[in-house]
Amino acid sequence: MSKRNDWKNSVVRFYDKHIQKVRIAYGVTWNLFLLFLILGLIGLAFAGGVGAGYFASLVKDEPIRSYDQMEKQIYDYSETTEVYFANNVYLGKLRADIEREEIELENVSEHVINALIATEDEFFYEHDGVVPKAIMRAIFQEFTNSPIRTGGSTLTQQLIKNQILTNEVSFDRKAKEILLAMRLEKFFSKEEILEAYLNVATFGRNSSGRNIAGVQAAAKGIFGVDAKDLTIPQAAFIAGLPQSPFGYTPFTNKGEVKESLEPGLNRMYTVLSRMHEKGFITEQEYQEALAFDLRANLTESKPSIIESYPYLIFEVEERSRNILMEILAEKDGYTKEDLAKDDQLYSTYYYKADNSLRYDGFVVHTTIDKEIYDRFQKIAKEYQYYGSDKPEKKLNPETGQVETVMEPVEVGAVLIENSTGKIISFVGGRDHSREQTNHATKAPRPNGSTMKPLLAYAPAMELGVVQPGTVIADVPVSYGSYQPKNYGGSYHGLTTVREALKYSYNIPAVKTYSSIMSRDPISYLKQMGFTSIHENDYGALSLALGGMTYGVTVEENVNAYATFANYGEFVDAYLIEKIETKDGETVYEHKPEKRQVFSPQTAYLTLDMMRDVIRSGTAAALNSYLTFRSDWAGKTGTGQDYKDAWFVATNPNVSFGTWIGYDTPKPLQTHYKGLSYGNRNILLWAKLMNAAYEVRPDLVDPSKSFTSPGGIVTRSYCTISGDLPSKLCQEAGLVATDIFNVKYVPRKTDDNLTYGKFVYVNDEAYQVPSSAPSEFVQEGPMLKPDALKSLGITISQLKSLIGDNEKLKNLVLATDNQLSDNGANPTTVSGVKVNGGKLTWSANKDSDVIGYRIYKAANYSKDFKKAGSVPANQSLSLAIGNSPAAYYVVAVDVAGKESAPSNIIKVGNYLEEKPKEEKEEPKEDKPKEESPKEPGGDNSSNENENSSSNNQNQNTSTEENENP
């Protein structure tokens, strides 16, 4: 019992002794804990206060953004402008620093979203814009200079950094980023934030070497698929790019695949690993994705639209920019005229419009037919008849040295729809990499004779000065120091406006233009869209022949010709149909600009004359080149010294024109590979038009033709004056018909002819002397000597040219000169011979010979009798057949004296006496077999010759009772 108590007491003493120590230790520890806790809380509070204060100091200048402000900034990302051919056929995107295509989240592959979440922001759906732990980790890594940096930004923060803040590395920017990210999370849903991020993130380069942003541009540009169709490995590769877009991108800035794809592949493997860890993909999907052949799945390198359609894209950019420039200026109260007058103002809005065009994601619709345009470029590139390259000295901007380069013949062409003004297609040049000038729209050149209907004939017809049947003397003329010449230096005498245009005579065009210069004919060019007329052009008569100081573009020239097809109404050509925002709002839509320049009557008369140019004039070769027929009316044109070749034509639907020449003006080869410079251009025109016909026959070959408007009548006129034909004009066969504007039909009857008798010597008519044998005297209409002055032609000019003019072939020129006898008998006629039943001889050169007599001796007779007479101005021949006979010819002068007989020509088996054994003399007119022709005679005979001889024989006398 006592032992038990001792043990109990011992335990109590031990407990009392040690528990006291424990209590003391516990008390001290607890007090120390409370002390440190209080101190810690005070420290944390102080640190928090300091941190909060520091944070507040960092963001104190950051404005509190409203929902609308943040929405505008978040979605304010650039988007590339898209361009379309006609009929909504996609062309491509305009040039920009970065290519982007907006997409909605629902159209993005779930694999992309999962890869992005797993890699960039695993707590995206849980956090409120920031992850404190990640921020603290990033701060710790920053202060400890840790080699491993995991980053602390959420997708929300990255969106803020990209769209509202900058990429500056500072606590100031980071603090603002955190604040704005938390605010953004209150305004926008997770889906909206994710969609915005997928549209703004940069993803390196595409297969064209262009910088890309947005997941849709990345999917198309890297793998050639839409974002919704990306596979797991493709999605993983794209999701890994934003960490180092240009380090991981598989393409160079030239669009070539990099030699090493390892950096991008390693990043893809990391993304796949995290997707697997987070359960977004299965083990099997993970292993299959690791085996993905990146190089084999990259999309092929695609040329940019600048490379594929350089002339077109640069033209679209310029015209779209000009449109936007005027719209932006108008919003600020400025007009188009204000921009033209103020260079600084123009520059300001130019750059505003250019920036807007490239980054505001417009949709531009053009008028260009893709298939026709593509065919045009191929034909222009492959055409083999331009001509040879020629040397040209040019300054090399890189070396500063003058070098000799070989310059090729260039080309420009434009096809316009008449009624609307739509530019359907064009050819800007042969090789944009060599020469960037658009020769269809930006290269004014003198337009040669294509100017004649535009400036000379149509305005003159509009003013009532000429009509197609107006007669003009095409003879040498001078205007001071200016002396126009025709092509080849020839002249054509009295010709009509229609013929002058058909054959492109220069002098009638200059004369016509000169007659209306005081009435401002250049105003017609301005109304038809000519913009490059120089002040020196106003007083230059050579302007009627296309001799311009600067020139005119192919577009302007063709556009002007469409005025005729529109019956005098000018419709300004255009290429931009409509410009829309990415949301479908129309900011611009073309509205036709029309103005009546010529009356329908003038337009139709011009068209009708230009039809002849193609039917049988300077463009007649076109008929053999075209594969279809249409109602074409057109005009050829040649620049001075053959430096330019033009052809412009129009039909009821379209107008089309081509130009060829050297960039540095120099003469084209007159002939190359068997074709003249003019026909080479016409052949090119035809090849291009044939191609357009194959694509759009309904457009380029309408079933309708040009129809005459009211106010057009057909009238006869005298071909020597253009006046109403008198009876003498009709008797002389000097009458033709043409169409006229009823307001300007001929009113005056021609009075340039008189009726009289005349004889001819050496192709010149003279008054009849009393001594002249009557058989050589002719009578009929004669041109009055005083009429020549009013016609603007001298008698020598008319005589030299009359033979070239079919309509004037019967005209007789009367003079005041008296024909006198030279006192001697005419010299003997030479060159008498028989060819194919026709007796011919050479003309006598004596100054008074007015005709010839032919004498004949029948078979078995020596008695020559007169068989015929031929005036000196007629064909020196007589049809005699093949019956046996003998002939000689004498010349007869104005006094009736004859020359000595010529050599005697025997025909058939002519005998002077009848052979004794023959009992009966054959009758001369009895049909006989033809006798063999004499050696040296023409053994050939044809119907045309005999017909000609017989016709001629009708004009000869057959008085056989006169003896030689």
Side-chain angles (χ1 to χ4, degrees):
M1 185 70 177
S2 60
K3 288 182 179 182
R4 183 182 300 145
N5 290 332
D6 290 342
W7 177 82
K8 182 178 180 182
N9 292 330
S10 168
V11 172
V12 170
R13 286 193 301 271
F14 177 82
Y15 175 79
D16 290 339
K17 178 180 178 180
H18 289 284
I19 198 65
Q20 187 68 27
K21 292 179 180 180
V22 171
R23 287 176 177 173
I24 293 172
Y26 173 77
V28 171
T29 301
W30 175 252
N31 289 330
L32 287 173
F33 170 75
L34 291 176
L35 177 62
F36 282 113
L37 178 61
I38 292 170
L39 290 174
L41 290 174
I42 293 173
L44 287 173
F46 178 77
V50 171
Y54 180 62
F55 184 85
S57 69
L58 293 175
V59 300
K60 63 181 179 64
D61 295 327
E62 177 64 25
I64 299 176
R65 287 173 167 81
S66 66
Y67 171 82
D68 291 338
Q69 289 174 320
M70 296 197 77
E71 180 186 41
K72 181 178 180 180
Q73 290 177 298
I74 290 301
Y75 290 105
D76 185 24
Y77 44 79
S78 65
E79 189 172 355
T80 317
T81 291
E82 295 182 330
V83 182
Y84 286 81
F85 288 105
N87 303 316
N88 215 36
V89 176
Y90 185 67
L91 170 56
K93 298 177 182 293
L94 290 185
R95 297 175 301 163
D97 292 337
I98 194 165
E99 185 174 305
R100 187 195 318 269
E101 185 174 343
E102 186 177 10
I103 192 171
E104 295 179 353
L105 187 62
E106 62 186 28
N107 293 322
V108 177
S109 169
E110 185 179 358
H111 299 311
V112 175
I113 298 172
N114 292 338
L116 196 64
I117 297 298
T119 307
E120 296 291 334
D121 192 351
E122 60 181 311
F123 300 112
F124 176 71
Y125 290 107
E126 287 79 34
H127 65 65
D128 293 323
V130 295
V131 178
K133 181 176 67 173
I135 294 174
M136 295 302 296
R137 182 174 64 244
I139 293 173
F140 176 78
Q141 291 170 349
E142 180 70 29
F143 278 105
T144 60
N145 198 27
S146 172
I148 300 176
R149 303 294 177 92
T150 58
S153 295
T154 62
L155 290 178
T156 311
Q157 288 175 265
Q158 292 182 48
L159 182 60
I160 292 295
K161 179 179 66 176
N162 290 333
Q163 293 300 98
I164 298 179
L165 302 176
T166 67
N167 289 325
E168 175 191 5
V169 180
S170 67
F171 287 109
D172 178 56
R173 198 271 302 163
K174 195 67 176 180
K176 293 178 180 178
E177 178 186 298
I178 293 170
L179 177 66
L180 291 173
M182 296 173 68
R183 189 166 182 80
L184 184 68
E185 288 274 352
K186 291 184 177 182
F187 287 146
F188 297 90
S189 68
K190 292 292 185 179
E191 287 72 21
E192 290 174 322
I193 294 171
L194 189 59
E195 180 179 285
Y197 177 85
L198 286 170
N199 278 298
V200 303
T202 55
F203 291 93
R205 302 188 190 95
N206 61 17
S207 60
S208 298
R210 299 177 68 180
N211 299 338
I212 51 177
V215 68
Q216 176 71 352
K220 284 186 175 180
I222 298 174
F223 296 114
V225 299
D226 288 319
K228 64 181 176 62
D229 298 323
L230 289 168
T231 64
I232 291 174
Q234 290 173 338
F237 183 82
I238 286 178
L241 288 171
Q243 186 184 71
S244 180
F246 299 103
Y248 298 151
T249 182
F251 299 107
T252 68
N253 58 5
K254 294 182 179 179
E256 300 169 348
V257 179
K258 292 180 179 179
E259 291 185 10
S260 175
L261 301 178
E262 188 174 351
L265 279 170
N266 289 337
R267 177 61 177 168
M268 182 189 74
Y269 298 148
T270 299
V271 175
L272 288 171
S273 176
R274 293 181 181 176
M275 291 177 72
H276 183 228
E277 290 174 4
K278 303 300 181 185
F280 289 123
I281 57 176
T282 65
E283 176 66 23
Q284 181 180 348
E285 289 173 329
Y286 175 60
Q287 293 301 328
E288 290 175 352
L290 289 176
F292 177 68
D293 188 341
L294 174 62
R295 190 178 296 274
N297 281 273
L298 294 174
T299 187
E300 294 181 0
S301 180
K302 298 177 182 177
S304 66
I305 57 173
I306 288 294
E307 296 172 315
S308 301
Y309 295 93
Y311 289 112
L312 176 55
I313 289 303
F314 282 114
E315 194 67 28
V316 169
E317 285 183 352
E318 179 179 350
R319 296 191 185 220
S320 298
R321 181 172 53 240
N322 290 342
I323 290 170
L324 293 175
M325 186 164 60
E326 292 180 19
I327 291 174
L328 293 172
E330 185 178 352
K331 287 181 179 179
D332 293 340
Y334 296 107
T335 65
K336 182 178 180 180
E337 290 71 25
D338 293 332
L339 295 176
K341 291 185 294 185
D342 190 330
D343 291 342
Q344 183 62 42
L345 190 67
Y346 180 92
S347 179
T348 298
Y349 283 97
Y350 176 95
Y351 287 110
K352 282 185 177 181
D354 187 71
N355 188 69
S356 178
L357 178 64
R358 299 189 188 285
Y359 302 112
D360 287 350
F362 290 111
V363 178
V364 178
H365 296 271
T366 73
T367 60
I368 301 297
D369 184 296
K370 181 182 186 300
E371 191 171 354
I372 294 178
Y373 186 87
D374 287 343
R375 292 198 181 197
F376 272 21
Q377 311 318 303
K378 186 175 187 295
I379 290 171
K381 185 176 182 179
E382 297 176 353
Y383 189 62
Q384 299 296 312
Y385 299 95
Y386 288 112
S388 302
D389 297 354
K390 288 191 175 183
E392 184 65 35
K393 294 187 180 298
K394 290 190 175 183
L395 179 67
N396 187 323
E398 296 182 1
T399 65
Q401 301 295 316
V402 175
E403 301 175 352
T404 298
V405 298
M406 297 304 292
E407 199 171 60
V409 176
E410 270 294 358
V411 59
V414 175
L415 175 64
I416 296 175
E417 185 178 50
N418 298 328
S419 61
T420 62
K422 291 180 180 179
I423 298 177
I424 304 299
S425 185
F426 68 86
V427 176
R430 295 173 63 183
D431 183 1
H432 188 271
S433 64
R434 186 200 71 83
E435 176 56 55
Q436 288 73 52
T437 302
N438 188 328
H439 299 88
T441 64
K442 299 291 186 301
R445 294 293 283 261
N447 62 346
S449 292
T450 62
M451 182 69 91
K452 291 173 182 174
L454 300 173
L455 181 65
Y457 296 129
M461 287 194 292
E462 185 72 9
L463 296 169
V465 176
V466 301
Q467 291 287 284
T470 298
V471 174
I472 300 175
D474 180 20
V475 294
V477 65
S478 296
Y479 296 92
S481 60
Y482 179 55
Q483 298 178 335
K485 305 289 184 184
N486 287 327
Y487 174 82
S490 60
Y491 301 95
H492 311 89
L494 298 177
T495 187
T496 62
V497 167
R498 180 181 290 275
E499 289 174 332
L501 184 62
K502 174 181 177 180
Y503 298 114
S504 203
Y505 301 153
N506 290 339
I507 291 172
V510 173
K511 284 185 171 181
T512 301
Y513 182 55
S514 174
S515 68
I516 61 172
M517 278 192 73
S518 62
R519 303 172 75 172
D520 193 19
I522 291 180
S523 64
Y524 290 98
L525 294 182
K526 290 183 175 179
Q527 292 181 73
M528 290 185 286
F530 277 50
T531 61
S532 53
I533 300 172
H534 190 268
E535 58 182 10
N536 293 338
D537 294 335
Y538 280 83
L541 285 168
S542 59
L543 186 62
L545 309 180
M548 305 180 71
T549 303
Y550 293 137
V552 61
T553 66
V554 180
E555 178 188 346
E556 289 178 341
N557 213 23
V558 175
N559 199 186
Y561 269 72
T563 305
F564 299 124
N566 290 327
Y567 290 91
E569 184 179 62
F570 173 74
V571 181
D572 199 15
Y574 71 101
L575 190 145
I576 305 300
E577 189 74 70
K578 183 168 59 174
I579 300 177
E580 298 174 318
T581 67
K582 59 186 178 182
D583 298 323
E585 178 186 353
T586 300
V587 297
Y588 167 82
E589 188 165 10
H590 177 78
K591 295 180 181 178
E593 295 181 21
K594 301 181 179 181
R595 68 179 70 93
Q596 196 72 35
V597 180
F598 299 114
S599 67
Q601 292 75 28
T602 293
Y604 181 77
L605 293 174
T606 308
L607 288 169
D608 193 63
M609 291 194 298
M610 292 195 298
R611 282 167 163 164
D612 287 353
V613 174
I614 293 173
R615 286 169 180 162
S616 55
T618 56
L622 179 66
N623 298 310
S624 63
Y625 298 152
L626 280 176
T627 59
F628 67 98
R629 291 290 178 266
S630 189
D631 191 6
W632 290 108
K635 184 69 188 76
T636 55
T638 303
Q640 187 174 15
D641 299 326
Y642 315 108
K643 293 176 182 175
D644 305 276
W646 291 82
F647 180 56
V648 185
T650 185
N651 70 19
N653 268 19
V654 296
S655 296
F656 183 50
T658 54
W659 162 90
I660 60 172
Y662 294 94
D663 281 315
T664 306
K666 55 179 70 68
L668 293 161
Q669 289 171 279
T670 54
H671 285 83
Y672 179 75
K673 293 186 177 181
L675 292 174
S676 69
Y677 65 92
N679 280 354
R680 296 201 300 274
N681 186 44
I682 292 173
L683 176 59
L684 174 62
W685 189 100
K687 284 182 174 291
L688 293 168
M689 186 50 61
N690 288 339
Y693 173 76
E694 291 174 3
V695 178
R696 295 278 304 278
D698 58 318
L699 174 69
V700 301
D701 184 25
S703 57
K704 61 183 179 180
S705 298
F706 292 117
T707 56
S708 175
I712 298 293
V713 294
T714 301
R715 290 288 185 272
S716 297
Y717 63 93
C718 184
T719 58
I720 60 173
S721 64
D723 294 331
L724 291 172
S726 63
K727 291 183 179 180
L728 291 178
C729 282
Q730 295 174 2
E731 185 176 338
L734 301 175
V735 178
T737 59
D738 211 324
I739 55 175
F740 293 80
N741 185 331
V742 69
K743 293 167 58 178
Y744 304 119
V745 294
R747 308 291 182 187
K748 175 186 173 185
T749 301
D750 179 81
D751 63 352
N752 291 294
L753 297 178
T754 185
Y755 194 88
K757 296 182 178 182
F758 48 86
V759 292
Y760 266 92
V761 175
N762 294 330
D763 292 328
E764 185 170 346
Y766 290 87
Q767 292 185 4
V768 180
S770 58
S771 61
S774 61
E775 64 196 283
F776 301 111
V777 175
Q778 302 174 65
E779 57 183 321
M782 297 187 298
L783 183 66
K784 297 176 182 177
D786 60 355
L788 296 171
K789 183 176 181 180
S790 64
L791 296 174
I793 190 170
T794 65
I795 191 167
S796 60
Q797 290 171 338
L798 189 57
K799 283 194 302 181
S800 66
L801 298 169
I802 196 170
D804 296 333
N805 194 320
E806 184 69 20
K807 293 178 181 177
L808 302 179
K809 65 181 180 180
N810 296 324
L811 183 63
V812 175
L813 307 175
T815 71
D816 291 329
N817 297 331
Q818 295 290 333
L819 183 62
S820 60
D821 179 16
N822 64 8
N825 287 346
T827 56
T828 304
V829 176
S830 63
V832 182
K833 58 184 178 181
V834 173
N835 285 318
K838 182 189 295 185
L839 185 71
T840 63
W841 59 94
S842 300
N844 188 292
K845 300 301 181 182
D846 292 349
S847 61
D848 59 351
V849 170
I850 62 175
Y852 302 87
R853 291 181 180 135
I854 300 90
Y855 289 92
K856 170 185 176 182
N859 201 18
Y860 311 137
S861 172
K862 299 178 182 178
D863 186 15
F864 282 87
K865 296 181 180 180
K866 182 179 175 185
S869 300
V870 177
N873 68 312
Q874 296 182 4
S875 175
L876 303 185
S877 64
L878 182 69
I880 58 175
N882 294 309
S883 299
Y887 299 89
Y888 68 81
V889 182
V890 297
V892 183
D893 67 13
V894 68
K897 298 190 296 291
E898 292 186 348
S899 68
S902 69
N903 58 307
I904 295 176
I905 299 297
K906 296 179 180 180
V907 178
N909 296 321
Y910 168 76
L911 296 174
E912 292 183 356
E913 295 180 357
K914 180 179 178 181
K916 293 181 179 180
E917 62 271 16
E918 291 188 14
K919 298 180 179 180
E920 184 178 351
E921 182 178 314
K923 295 181 180 180
E924 186 173 297
D925 56 352
K926 181 179 180 180
K928 296 180 180 180
E929 294 184 2
E930 289 189 5
S931 301
K933 295 180 174 60
E934 295 181 4
D938 187 351
N939 290 327
S940 65
S941 176
N942 60 65
E943 293 183 6
N944 290 337
E945 273 193 343
N946 290 335
S947 175
S948 175
S949 300
N950 292 333
N951 290 340
Q952 180 60 48
N953 196 37
Q954 293 176 6
N955 295 323
T956 62
S957 173
T958 56
E959 298 176 0
E960 296 190 13
N961 58 344
E962 293 187 14
N963 294 323

